[in-house]
Amino acid sequence: MPVPWFLLSLALGRSPVVLSLERLMGLQDTVRCSRDLSCHLWEGDMLCLPGSIVSTVGPVLVPTRLQTELVLRCHQKTDCDLCVRVAVHLAVHGHWKEPEDEEKFGGAADPELEEPRNVSLQAQVVLSFQAYPSTRCILLEVQVPATLVQPGQSVGSVVYDCFEAALGSEVRIWSYTQPRYQKELNITQQLPDCRGLEVRDSIQSCWALPWLNMSADGDNVRLVLDVSEEQHFGLSLYWNQVQGPPKPWWHKNLTGPQTITLNFTDLVPCLCIQVWPLEPDSVRTSICPFKDDPRAHQNLWRAARLQLLPSQSWRLDAPCSLPAEAVLCWRAPGWGSCQPLVPPLSWENVTVNKARKFPVLKGHPNLCVQVSSWEKLQLQECLWADSLGPLKDDMLLVETRGLQDNRSLCALEPSGCILLPSRASTRAARLGEELLQDLQSGQCLQLWDDDMGALWACPMDKYIHKRWALVWLACLLLVSALFLLLLFKRDHVKAAAARGRAALLLYSADDAGFERLVGALASALCRLPLRVAVDLWSRRELSAQGPLAWFHAQRRQTLQEGGTVVLLFTPGAVALCGEWLQDGAAAPRAHSPHDAFAASLSCVLPDFLQGRAPGRYVGACFDGLLHPDAVPTLFRTVPVFSLPSQLPDFLGALQRPGAPRPGGLREMAEQVSRALQPALVSCFQPSGIPGPDAGRDLGRGTGLE
């Protein structure tokens, strides 16, 4: 599995980025300064006494910035110590004050008073160095020529070599003048250890240090200690605490070489690793490689636990410190979430592994604790559920107190706090008056109280019993209504079966001959029996309602009764469909005011485009007038029949499933075919198909003769 913190091999001693340090030979401390400055280092250390800040009479030198650099101070080539070089940047502070007489009378200044302005400045700069357990203070004397004495001007820097310090230690450096004219400068620096410096061959204490590499191995982490055989060393895994000493987790003295395996679920941000050789005064090297890893933070929250303590206290237990806030919330049975009680309560910062007091007077199983980090809910536990039982169906009333004894009450529900009394449609609003009476009669339990408000838990058991009685009554009424509905439905189904299934014929009126053919088909279908709707028989309704409204009403009624909409395709209908499919929502060209097919396309097309057509629509065309393959692909998602050659299948698609079929579909198809013959002859005769036998020829091949 991919592990982000091990994409690179992390090593305590062989880091991919190391520092190469300058070497200083000899043990003598030295000082040097910028061009045009002169400086001197006083012999021996001095007492570190900054003293109080004093005011300046004229310009003075003050330190403005500190810089540090790591170097090696070597007694021999392979015998060096880590040393901190310090650079102090100086500037002129303050200015000469104008004489009062000159300022008052505007006279020329006395030459004797101007003379001090052309002199050089001298300052004593103190460097204080603290690295546990020792402290040093040295004194630097600096002189600036008169040509550089300009108020606010930076004059250069002084560099001191150097303060010796231990590997991996934290050092603090202060700088100020004596006397002190401003707040001292300070800097804190964490020095690297053997793993971050190119010093393994120069500092003897790093020679015997165990070097540690880490790698991923499935769901585990492997710690490989690169040490020689028979070398003894200590290995410690600990949780580094922000407050308090480190918390040991695992410690063992080992003999090299060794491989230690850890599970990924054990890795948390504060888990650190420390190794050292088992020798007197050996250097210990530590690394905390998981502090910025998202998975380690996830493991930390999984390991965190909320614990209820005696005396209305609780504690967040976790191996590492967490940036977290907590608040009480209320959760009732059936609620999807716990409602934070903010206000009247507020979010409070949480310190890990430290007991906290609940702000409530009494516990309640519905009171829970929410812990969030960076506005994201991480933990939620109802701590009283174990001792006080499961969640109760109690209503929480929130009392808010204002000035002049003004107070308001609201009932907490999933949608928010409902002000009482209220006309809302929630349960709390309907029972508002009863809840207020329960509160006044002392039936509610007070959970919290202060100057800003109070919290009350009111039992809802008695209202639940009333509600169940109403529910049972409603169920009986519902069962009765369903029984009556089933009886009505059965009678309706019987009546519908007697009447036959509904069919709505839609076509494009290409010419009068085709309209006669459609009329003949509709009349033949009515004798099967089928209840047929076609615009030829509804001219008055079409004129009154319009084609679109008429089609909507007929389509809705046909589909609601379980009928079928029949699309009769002709070359004109195919062309009209092509216009709609090409232009989308654009209006088609003008058609006959009675042309329901043109009006219906605005509703028929969405059914086909959205996959609702199968089972509700069928298509048909007439032999010799249009081949089924000419029907647009979109409409071929439903069966398309060629008439009269496929009349049996066509009539089967129109029949209600399970409906009686007297004489069978074949007999019905023969009846319809005979009824269509005259209309077919009349329709095709203008197209050049001569003779009275044309209709008979069209009917051949259907298997109906």
Side-chain angles (χ1 to χ4, degrees), residues 281-346:
D281 300 326
S282 60
V283 176
R284 295 195 175 200
T285 302
S286 300
I287 185 173
C288 304
F290 315 111
K291 60 182 180 180
D292 296 323
D293 192 271
R295 296 194 182 188
H297 284 272
Q298 293 176 5
N299 290 340
L300 177 58
W301 280 111
R302 293 190 188 102
R305 294 291 181 270
L306 291 172
Q307 183 177 355
L308 182 64
L309 303 176
S311 304
Q312 299 288 3
S313 299
W314 65 281
R315 184 177 65 220
L316 175 61
D317 294 333
C320 308
S321 299
L322 288 169
E325 293 180 316
V327 73
L328 287 179
C329 63
W330 180 265
R331 184 180 183 185
W335 287 18
S337 61
C338 193
Q339 293 289 334
L341 300 179
V342 180
L345 304 180
S346 59

Side-chain angles (χ1 to χ4, degrees), residues 184-243:
E184 64 268 17
L185 298 179
N186 67 85
I187 186 173
T188 301
Q189 184 175 0
Q190 180 69 44
L191 301 185
D193 51 25
C194 296
R195 64 190 171 92
L197 298 172
E198 201 175 77
V199 296
R200 188 173 184 181
D201 297 330
S202 302
I203 300 180
Q204 295 182 1
S205 58
C206 294
W207 292 359
L209 183 68
W211 302 95
L212 176 66
N213 292 286
M214 293 187 292
S215 62
D217 181 17
D219 291 335
N220 299 317
V221 178
R222 298 180 62 194
L223 309 180
V224 181
L225 290 109
D226 182 15
V227 295
S228 59
E229 294 185 4
E230 306 303 327
Q231 180 180 347
H232 303 288
F233 62 93
L235 175 66
S236 175
L237 302 178
Y238 63 94
W239 292 315
N240 191 29
Q241 305 292 315
V242 175
Q243 297 178 348

Side-chain angles (χ1 to χ4, degrees), residues 13-85:
R14 298 192 178 111
S15 174
V17 178
V18 295
L19 298 177
S20 180
L21 304 183
E22 178 185 347
R23 295 171 179 265
L24 304 178
M25 302 304 296
L27 304 178
Q28 187 68 32
D29 293 349
T30 59
V31 64
R32 64 182 186 277
C33 48
S34 302
R35 182 181 177 184
D36 297 330
L37 300 184
S38 59
C39 51
H40 171 69
L41 173 64
W42 283 38
E43 293 184 4
D45 292 354
M46 59 174 294
L47 293 177
C48 301
L49 299 174
S52 302
I53 297 177
V54 299
S55 58
T56 63
V57 178
V60 293
L61 281 179
V62 293
T64 58
R65 186 162 57 97
L66 288 176
Q67 282 184 295
T68 61
E69 180 184 0
L70 297 181
V71 295
L72 291 177
R73 170 170 282 173
C74 301
H75 312 281
Q76 298 179 1
K77 184 176 181 180
T78 59
D79 185 9
C80 303
D81 294 309
L82 191 63
C83 211
V84 181
R85 172 184 288 165

